[in-house]
């Protein structure tokens, strides 16, 4: 199984039709390949239930992102405003009668997957500390850090201008393996030595991106629509 080619996919965020198109375009076959979405498979887009059904059908091996962790930690007695919006995965899954089954499956997803020459994580890695020793919030929310791996006390959402003294986490990465990640739609595709950032903002009307490994070959499809409004400057981004 582990010798099969792997198809990593960036943040899907409920864009089921684009995921289907991407898998067709990539000629993905579950009997021959592995499918590893790098987190944030749900929320904001039109069809989170459809995404999860397709991932199950394709025998996918997803990672946890901050959106999945948000669902895991949801207090249904006092749900936050975002969870009651039509684009929320909770509302869509609950309406489809698939909420509990989806939640149970997500609880099986790991924060990190690793191979001999790659590491997959939703947001990013610490420059020195092993992923196994990091908090889930670090692995699923990281964007900026200093050279010691410390995150800023307060980030500017998904801004491309970091707080003073902090740089994108991957500028501090010195590992030998290629890190495959998502989480930063505003930054878009990252294609640097030993770094592949695959969140290209499909839910905002841009592209859904996949990566064949070990071929190290990118595959993209255009979004069919812009499903989520870009947040106003200064608004908290998840």
């Amino acid at each position: 199984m582990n010798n099969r080619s792997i198809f990593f996919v960036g943040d899907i965020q409920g864009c089921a039709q684009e995921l289907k198109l991407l898998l067709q375009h990539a000629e993905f076959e579950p009997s021959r390949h592995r499918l590893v979405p790098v987190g944030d498979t749900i929320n904001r887009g039109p069809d989170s239930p459809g995404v999860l059904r397709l991932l199950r059908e394709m025998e996918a091996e997803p990672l946890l992102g901050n959106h999945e962790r948000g669902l895991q930690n949801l207090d249904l007695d006092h749900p936050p405003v975002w969870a009651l919006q039509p684009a929320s995965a909770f509302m869509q899954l609950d309406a489809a009668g698939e909420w509990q089954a989806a939640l149970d499956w997500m609880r099986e997803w790991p924060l990190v997957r690793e191979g001999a020459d790659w590491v997959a994580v939703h947001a990013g890695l610490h420059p020195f500390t092993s992923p196994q020793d990091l908090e889930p919030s670090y692995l699923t929310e990281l964007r900026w850090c200093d050279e010691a791996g410390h995150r800023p006390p307060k980030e500017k959402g998904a801004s491309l201008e970091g707080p003073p003294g902090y740089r994108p986490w991957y500028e501090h990465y010195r590992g030998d393996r290629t890190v495959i990640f998502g989480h930063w739609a505003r930054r878009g595709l990252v294609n640097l030595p030993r770094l592949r950032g695959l969140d290209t903002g499909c839910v905002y009307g841009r592209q859904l991106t996949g990566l064949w490994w070990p071929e190290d070959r990118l595959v993209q499809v255009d979004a069919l629509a812009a499903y989520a409004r870009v947040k106003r400057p200064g608004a908290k981004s998840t």
Side-chain angles (χ1 to χ4, degrees):
M1 175 179 175
N2 290 333
N3 291 327
R4 293 184 295 171
S5 292
I6 306 171
F7 192 55
F8 296 96
V9 180
D11 301 38
I12 303 164
Q13 298 220 241
C15 299
Q17 288 301 311
E18 286 87 345
L19 175 60
K20 184 176 181 180
L21 290 171
L22 181 67
L23 295 176
Q24 291 174 344
H25 188 56
E27 299 182 337
F28 176 85
E29 297 180 23
S31 62
R32 298 175 51 222
H33 310 129
R34 295 172 63 193
L35 177 61
V36 179
V38 296
D40 283 4
T41 59
I42 43 80
N43 271 347
R44 290 189 174 155
D47 192 5
S48 289
V51 168
L52 295 181
R53 289 186 212 116
L54 184 54
L55 293 181
R56 282 186 181 274
E57 181 184 342
M58 297 293 107
E59 303 176 7
E61 305 167 49
L63 292 172
L64 284 174
N66 53 295
H67 281 269
E68 289 88 3
R69 290 189 63 240
L71 291 186
Q72 290 180 345
N73 299 325
L74 197 60
D75 181 357
L76 296 183
D77 293 326
H78 304 91
V81 173
W82 65 260
L84 303 179
Q85 301 302 309
S88 85
F90 167 69
M91 293 293 285
Q92 294 176 4
L93 290 163
D94 190 54
E98 299 175 27
W99 164 246
Q100 191 59 53
L103 187 62
D104 290 344
W105 188 33
M106 289 181 198
R107 285 175 173 152
E108 299 175 4
W109 298 2
L111 292 161
V112 178
R113 294 188 186 274
E114 301 180 67
D117 58 355
W118 58 270
V119 181
V121 64
H122 177 58
L125 298 178
H126 192 281
F128 308 112
T129 304
S130 167
Q132 289 73 26
D133 296 323
L134 292 170
E135 293 293 325
S137 61
Y138 197 99
L139 296 167
T140 58
E141 299 173 16
L142 177 68
R143 289 193 177 99
W144 306 94
C145 70
D146 62 19
E147 60 183 10
H150 299 130
R151 296 173 64 189
K154 188 174 182 180
E155 292 193 23
K156 301 178 180 180
S159 171
L160 294 181
E161 181 181 347
Y166 296 88
R167 302 194 320 224
W169 69 268
Y170 52 78
E171 293 187 12
H172 300 291
Y173 179 67
R174 298 295 183 269
D176 295 329
R177 294 183 292 177
T178 296
V179 184
I180 301 158
F181 62 98
H183 188 56
W184 209 340
R186 189 169 295 185
R187 189 158 292 271
L189 182 68
V190 176
N191 192 0
L192 298 170
R194 304 187 311 285
L195 295 158
R196 300 290 182 273
L198 303 182
D199 185 0
T200 47
C202 181
V203 76
Y204 300 111
R206 289 157 55 197
Q207 296 88 29
L208 184 62
T209 298
L211 173 73
W212 278 115
W213 196 266
E215 296 93 328
D216 196 15
R217 175 169 59 88
L218 293 165
V219 184
Q220 290 185 319
V221 295
D222 290 333
L224 300 177
Y227 304 107
R229 286 191 303 125
V230 177
K231 288 179 176 286
R232 66 187 183 279
K236 184 178 180 181
S237 175
T238 57

